[in-house]
Amino acid sequence: MKGLKLYAILYLIFLYAPIFLLPLFAFNSSTIIAFPLQSFTTQWFSALADIPEMHKAVLNSLRIAATSAVLATSFGIFAAMASTRYRFPAQKGLMGFIMLPLVLPEIIVAVSLLVVIVNAGFSTGAWSVIAGHTLICTPFAIAILQSAFASLDPALEEAAFDLGETPASTFRLVTLPLVMPGIISALLISFTISMDEFIIAFFLTGADPTLPVYLFSMLRFPKLLPAVMALGTLLVLASVVLLTIAEYFRRRGIKRAGAKDTGGFL
Amino acid sequence: MTQISTANRVKPTKPLIEMRDISKHYGDYHALCGITLDIHEGEFFSLLGPSGCGKTTLLRVIAGFEGIDSGAVLISHQDMARVPANKRPTNMVFQSYAIFPHLSVAQNVGFGLRKSTMSKAQKEAAVAEALEMVGLKGYGARAAHALSGGQRQRVALARALILKPKVLLLDEPLSALDRKMREQMQVELIRLQRQVGITFILVTHDQEEALVMSDRIAVMFEGEIAQCDDPEILYRRPKSKRVADFIGVMNFLPATLHSHAGTIIADVAGLGEAEIAADQCPAGIPEGDALVGFRPETLTLLYDGQTATQREAAGVISEVVYYGDMTYYDVTLVGVSKPVRISMRNVFGRDVLAVGDATRVSWSAGALVVFP
Amino acid sequence: MLISPTALYALALLAIPLGAIVLISFWTQTGVRDFDTTLTGANYVEALSDPIYRALMFRSLRIAGLVTLVTVLAAFPIAYFVSFGVPAQKKSLWIFLITIPFWTSYLIRVFLWKVILGYNGVFNSGLKVLGVIDQPLTFLLYNANSVVITLAHAYAPFAILPIFVALEKIDRSLLEAARDLGENRVMTFLRVTLPLAAPGVIAAVLIVFIPTIGDYVTPELIGGPGGTMIANMIQAQFLRLNNAPLGAALAVLAMLIVSVIAVAFLVLGSRASGAKGTRK
């Protein structure tokens, strides 16, 4: 196990290497992204304030991510409830189909949506990105919510019903509070995926780029790279904060439901 | 077994729940086949049977969680067909207890009072009273997930009883507890049932538990009621070999029946002839081959110098199982290959007999039950 | 009933588009937005006979296969360590640590690998400072190697998690039983742990292989001419070369090949685990 532990630590270093480099270059005064480092500066962060196109892209991405997260989580609630509570014909096939985007290369989702949208005579825009992101976030939301619903003892709902509550008030008083942590972490995960997704947005975003699409275009201009590093640092920070919140709610949910912790998000 | 005598308990006879020819199936699987049963006001009733016999389904039918394909359930003479679980005068203690993990003990117990017209103070008083009744006075503020198994069960009981239902339904409530806690809770449940005076319906697969607690027991196999009687009759006069086998230990010996001057005489292998009274055999049993059953404690091993008060048979001890207060002897009777089991209370100063010893056995005709 | 909104959404936004792309792959592009809708197999003939597309397809398969091999082999010891070597209460912390990098901007992570592996990158400048090399190593960037390293990094959690879950499911008394029956640690691992972890390994292989074959960003940013993959060609056909039907044909072919390989692998996997009972 000692050797394995050393290996595991080296592996973690491999995993985190790019992320640790990010702030190094973000605070480095040289415009060239290479060692040795020059002096410490925060100018790249302040430079971010002067790129209005980027602000627009950030706002666009936030809107798209928030909408996709709400939609994907709502769809996730329906599907997770249906698949954990009931048995119905073609259940496996239907669920498999809904979960398909998990294993489908995103470029396929992107081009096929593009083809339909263009041929139907619509123009692409934020709405089409939202449609695509909802599609790929839903399986993640379902996976999280399924475990939330599965760890919920069905007798709890029966008990509430037995004690005089209606199906609606049972959902409000018992089901919802108990799966709420799952809902919150599904929202956060979907939000993070949508914020980060590139290829679908690249195909479907139309005139207003999302942040990743904008970033991708920035990468072509070496002059802008330090600002990209600064932006990346902020993004990583935001992701880590969101994920920590998501993890907190996931654990609280498991604790509340009285179940044993079985691991991560996926 | 802590047998609490049923003799001093009031025997209620007014039917509270009437089940008429209830059937239910899931696809090809028949969960309930034509159940007809009355359960009386104020009685402690048990549904007993092996897993998959339909007892839990029947309980959930009464509660309103399961629909039925045909038949009717009446509570207080009112047809329950269109009454959902939340409107029925029944409350349930679930097998998993179903304690709401996000609520405190007091919030769990007071859950059903949300729509009640009581004032806040009255509700609090009701919760405190219910908690005291189950021996959890002062536990109200605790978090539900911090309770032990026994405490969770008490909370589940208090929560179900606070609505003063006509019937309390208990789905294997003791199966998750260890043996000692289980025996303690058996006694407490009996006390509680007498205190509140309402009908309790218990589902259990544990025959000992059913015998200890119930006024009446319905034994179920494969969706049908095999026998419904009070514990003593069920134990002493099982109506079928299967019921006899399921409850306690029963010895079986082959016998031939013939009637003589209006009385049935059984010639039992290894024991001899015995007169059989009407309540010892099914009505209209044909003459010829039959099976005779008797409980291990109805036979007595005779020590040297003792004589049988009733009838006597001879045999050889083939196995001795020592239990401390009791010893079980397997005795091979003369002319029978399969040994019969005899239980003897150990008396201080009297030797436990050894394998291979020849022995005499005292038996009485009244303890026999005849099966076709 | 409950599932219907989700199912309808997936049907409308997945089934119909997938159907559409299959349909379009049999059309011919005649103008920027004009198609000849007579069905023809010409796109497939072109996609299969043109050596450029064939080479791209094979390279995609090779790179994805290599990424899968590297990722899963590197991931197994980690999953094993977290499952068997980490105290129960610290397991979710480890899993959390492993998944965090995955949730940070993919684009930026890929770009950082360019920074690390580049001609004046972290790796080369670091080695130069240390005096290990005089001239920067050039085999690191803009070729298949860099794509493999970057993708192996990006898909690490996808490989670790399924294997970890499979290992967690193994009843620990089974391992004790094997030891009790006289096997040493290595043989216990080979005869008990590994066969029981097989479903996780199979899942890991598929979950890494399928998305990597269609990856666009990594080959685009750091693949160079020698690291381009099929997704880049599909993108080019759709957005730059204005030949959507050919792009669609390439996409359909890619999907078909991936499905065939995935199914073959699943069958192989289930046969291997099905034979477990009869193996001595």
Side-chain angles (χ1 to χ4, degrees):
Chain A
M1 278 303 158
K2 270 232 172 93
L4 268 182
K5 185 166 189 176
L6 184 70
Y7 174 74
I9 289 168
L10 287 174
Y11 195 89
L12 277 187
I13 291 173
F14 166 67
L15 279 183
Y16 279 86
I19 296 171
F20 281 136
L21 288 174
L22 204 49
L24 285 186
F25 292 118
F27 290 108
N28 182 23
S29 60
S30 167
T31 50
I32 302 162
I33 308 295
F35 283 111
L37 297 174
Q38 313 255 311
S39 57
F40 178 86
T41 179
T42 55
Q43 59 169 316
W44 310 121
F45 286 92
S46 36
L48 288 179
D50 302 326
I51 315 177
E53 301 88 9
M54 195 196 76
H55 300 167
K56 236 178 112 190
V58 169
L59 282 179
N60 193 30
S61 265
L62 285 175
R63 254 198 308 271
I64 289 173
T67 316
S68 308
V70 170
L71 287 174
T73 306
S74 313
F75 285 130
I77 292 173
F78 285 120
M81 264 182 94
S83 69
T84 49
R85 299 300 168 71
Y86 307 104
R87 293 284 157 262
F88 45 89
Q91 182 174 29
K92 261 192 150 170
L94 216 49
M95 284 307 290
F97 183 70
I98 291 171
M99 301 302 267
L100 188 63
L102 267 186
V103 291
L104 206 61
E106 279 172 7
I107 185 137
I108 307 264
V109 177
V111 294
S112 53
L113 278 172
L114 181 74
V115 157
V116 168
I117 288 169
V118 168
N119 282 290
F122 297 113
S123 57
T124 52
W127 72 272
S128 51
V129 182
I130 290 171
H133 283 184
T134 303
L135 191 70
I136 59 161
C137 290
T138 302
F140 286 91
I142 291 175
I144 293 165
L145 289 164
Q146 256 178 344
S147 70
F149 277 102
S151 63
L152 189 70
D153 181 0
L156 289 172
E157 287 170 340
E158 286 180 351
F161 196 49
D162 186 56
L163 293 166
E165 297 296 344
T166 61
S169 62
T170 297
F171 186 80
R172 185 165 59 81
L173 293 170
V174 177
T175 318
L176 206 55
L178 288 173
V179 297
M180 190 46 93
I183 292 176
I184 290 174
S185 63
L187 279 171
L188 290 176
I189 296 287
S190 303
F191 183 86
T192 313
I193 292 173
S194 170
M195 271 307 273
D196 189 33
E197 201 286 329
F198 169 73
I199 192 74
I200 291 176
F202 186 53
F203 272 77
L204 300 178
T205 194
D208 299 319
T210 63
L211 186 59
V213 175
Y214 178 73
L215 257 176
F216 189 73
S217 65
M218 266 175 103
L219 293 178
R220 288 162 203 230
F221 306 104
K223 206 168 57 111
L224 289 175
L225 288 182
V228 172
M229 292 290 143
L231 181 61
T233 308
L234 294 178
L235 284 179
V236 166
L237 212 62
S239 304
V240 170
V241 169
L242 275 185
L243 280 171
T244 312
I245 296 172
E247 174 72 2
Y248 168 79
F249 276 106
R250 195 188 61 83
R251 287 197 193 183
R252 207 175 74 169
I254 286 169
K255 206 170 154 191
R256 263 201 200 176
K260 238 185 79 188
D261 195 348
T262 47
F265 293 114
L266 294 168
Chain B
M1 208 170 9
T2 37
Q3 176 80 50
I4 288 182
S5 165
T6 50
N8 57 355
R9 297 168 80 167
V10 191
K11 291 270 167 71
T13 49
K14 242 169 81 186
L16 177 67
I17 301 178
E18 297 158 73
M19 284 169 261
R20 295 190 190 141
D21 201 23
I22 294 173
S23 290
K24 178 175 182 62
H25 60 84
Y26 305 100
D28 286 343
Y29 175 69
H30 289 265
L32 298 172
C33 319
I35 300 279
T36 296
L37 181 66
D38 282 357
I39 296 174
H40 303 142
E41 226 163 73
E43 103 176 306
F44 200 130
F45 192 91
S46 288
L47 296 168
L48 172 68
S51 62
C53 71
K55 56 191 192 299
T56 295
T57 306
L58 188 58
L59 193 78
R60 291 170 60 83
V61 163
I62 299 171
F65 292 129
E66 305 274 353
I68 47 179
D69 299 329
S70 62
V73 180
L74 283 74
I75 301 180
S76 305
H77 308 298
Q78 199 197 340
D79 189 354
M80 290 286 126
R82 289 176 184 283
V83 184
N86 55 342
K87 301 271 196 297
R88 293 197 185 187
T90 60
N91 284 117
M92 177 109 114
V93 172
F94 290 84
Q95 185 169 12
S96 64
Y97 307 145
I99 303 298
F100 302 120
H102 58 306
L103 302 179
S104 70
V105 168
Q107 284 171 321
N108 261 286
V109 173
F111 192 90
L113 297 178
R114 190 173 72 92
K115 288 176 179 164
S116 132
T117 52
M118 281 190 229
S119 72
K120 199 165 170 261
Q122 282 173 314
K123 285 181 185 174
E124 278 167 11
V127 168
E129 189 194 345
L131 278 174
E132 190 171 356
M133 187 167 65
V134 296
L136 285 181
K137 194 178 176 183
Y139 278 67
R142 294 222 185 168
H145 57 74
L147 298 175
S148 72
Q151 289 168 338
R152 295 168 80 81
Q153 198 211 10
R154 289 161 196 264
V155 172
L157 269 170
R159 185 178 70 183
L161 286 171
I162 204 166
L163 290 174
K164 305 209 167 11
K166 287 180 178 163
V167 187
L168 183 74
L169 307 170
L170 302 118
D171 185 6
E172 306 246 12
L174 307 177
S175 60
L177 304 177
D178 63 40
R179 193 188 163 90
K180 231 181 184 142
M181 179 65 89
R182 194 160 61 225
E183 285 175 356
Q184 187 192 336
M185 282 311 295
Q186 286 173 359
V187 178
E188 277 195 45
L189 274 176
I190 297 167
R191 176 189 61 78
L192 197 65
Q193 194 261 340
R194 285 188 198 161
Q195 189 187 332
V196 296
I198 63 170
T199 304
F200 278 31
I201 304 179
L202 172 81
V203 159
T204 181
H205 64 270
D206 181 340
Q207 45 101 6
E208 196 176 301
E209 187 172 296
L211 290 177
V212 169
M213 299 172 76
S214 324
D215 294 315
R216 283 196 307 149
I217 300 168
V219 181
M220 291 181 69
F221 297 119
E222 276 118 42
E224 291 181 64
I225 293 179
Q227 187 170 355
C228 179
D229 268 311
D230 70 43
E232 204 177 340
I233 293 180
L234 205 61
Y235 184 77
R236 283 176 52 189
R237 298 281 185 252
K239 280 185 184 147
S240 66
K241 183 170 182 289
R242 198 158 176 205
V243 172
D245 247 350
F246 190 72
I247 293 172
V249 179
M250 186 71 110
N251 292 303
F252 295 100
L253 288 173
T256 46
L257 301 182
H258 62 272
S259 69
H260 179 76
T263 328
I264 297 172
I265 308 288
D267 187 4
V268 187
L271 293 178
E273 286 202 340
E275 281 182 20
I276 300 297
D279 71 329
Q280 286 171 260
C281 66
I285 189 165
E287 295 192 356
D289 289 344
L291 208 57
V292 156
F294 50 93
R295 300 287 183 189
E297 69 278 7
T298 61
L299 296 193
T300 314
L301 290 188
L302 295 172
Y303 283 76
D304 290 342
Q306 284 184 313
T307 47
T309 47
Q310 298 267 332
R311 292 152 197 261
E312 211 177 290
V316 176
I317 295 175
S318 58
E319 187 69 75
V320 178
V321 186
Y322 181 73
Y323 272 88
D325 60 336
M326 307 278 290
T327 304
Y328 282 15
Y329 295 98
D330 285 350
V331 175
T332 310
L333 297 170
V334 173
V336 187
S337 57
K338 192 172 171 272
V340 295
R341 171 151 289 193
I342 298 174
S343 66
M344 294 284 290
R345 185 152 292 281
N346 289 330
V347 177
F348 183 73
R350 192 167 71 187
D351 290 339
V352 174
L353 299 172
V355 174
D357 288 358
T359 185
R360 292 172 299 128
V361 172
S362 157
W363 61 284
S364 75
L368 303 181
V369 204
V370 180
F371 304 106
Chain C
M1 279 299 109
L2 268 174
I3 199 171
S4 48
T6 315
L8 279 178
Y9 187 81
L11 225 56
L13 276 105
L14 194 55
I16 293 175
L18 287 179
I21 205 155
V22 173
L23 182 65
I24 283 179
S25 70
F26 291 100
W27 290 357
T28 319
Q29 188 109 20
T30 51
V32 176
R33 284 210 171 168
D34 302 310
F35 298 99
D36 177 358
T37 57
T38 359
L39 299 184
T40 164
N43 296 313
Y44 287 94
V45 173
E46 191 182 347
L48 289 171
S49 57
D50 191 322
I52 295 179
Y53 303 133
R54 263 221 311 255
L56 266 183
M57 200 67 93
F58 278 121
R59 186 194 289 158
S60 299
L61 281 173
R62 205 185 65 235
I63 291 181
L66 205 59
V67 169
T68 309
L69 190 74
V70 170
T71 313
V72 172
L73 281 183
F76 193 94
I78 299 296
Y80 186 85
F81 170 72
V82 177
S83 182
F84 287 88
V86 172
Q89 68 275 15
K90 281 198 178 159
K91 277 182 187 172
S92 50
L93 178 68
W94 268 89
I95 294 297
F96 187 54
L97 281 178
I98 288 166
T99 36
I100 279 188
F102 167 73
W103 294 111
T104 58
S105 173
Y106 179 51
L107 213 55
I108 288 186
R109 264 184 296 148
V110 173
F111 178 73
L112 283 164
W113 277 108
K114 186 174 171 175
V115 172
I116 293 173
L117 300 172
Y119 190 77
N120 285 316
V122 174
F123 203 74
N124 278 325
S125 51
L127 287 182
K128 247 189 342 202
V129 169
L130 291 173
V132 180
I133 51 170
D134 303 325
Q135 287 301 309
L137 305 170
T138 51
F139 63 87
L140 289 172
L141 194 61
Y142 296 127
N143 56 32
N145 293 338
S146 51
V147 175
V148 171
I149 295 176
T150 309
L151 287 176
H153 178 264
Y155 284 91
F158 283 108
I160 295 175
L161 287 176
I163 300 175
F164 170 74
V165 169
L167 289 173
E168 279 294 279
K169 277 188 191 153
I170 297 176
D171 184 350
R172 298 307 193 249
S173 60
L174 292 175
L175 307 180
E176 288 171 359
R179 298 296 301 279
D180 183 57
L181 294 168
E183 289 293 14
N184 60 26
R185 276 181 196 283
V186 175
M187 286 311 289
T188 301
F189 175 81
L190 291 178
R191 289 184 65 191
V192 182
T193 314
L194 206 53
L196 290 174
V201 175
I202 291 170
V205 165
L206 290 178
I207 226 164
V208 174
F209 181 78
I210 295 172
T212 43
I213 206 168
D215 192 78
Y216 171 81
V217 175
T218 303
E220 184 71 19
L221 280 181
I222 61 177
T228 333
M229 287 165 70
I230 194 69
N232 307 84
M233 184 51 80
I234 295 174
Q235 186 268 348
Q237 295 293 350
F238 270 95
L239 297 187
R240 273 188 277 159
L241 305 176
N242 252 325
N243 195 346
L246 184 58
L250 287 173
V252 171
L253 280 177
M255 269 196 289
L256 272 179
I257 292 172
V258 168
S259 311
V260 167
I261 293 177
V263 169
F265 200 80
L266 276 177
V267 169
L268 233 85
S270 71
R271 225 183 255 167
S273 52
K276 229 182 288 163
T278 54
R279 212 186 293 155
K280 275 200 178 165

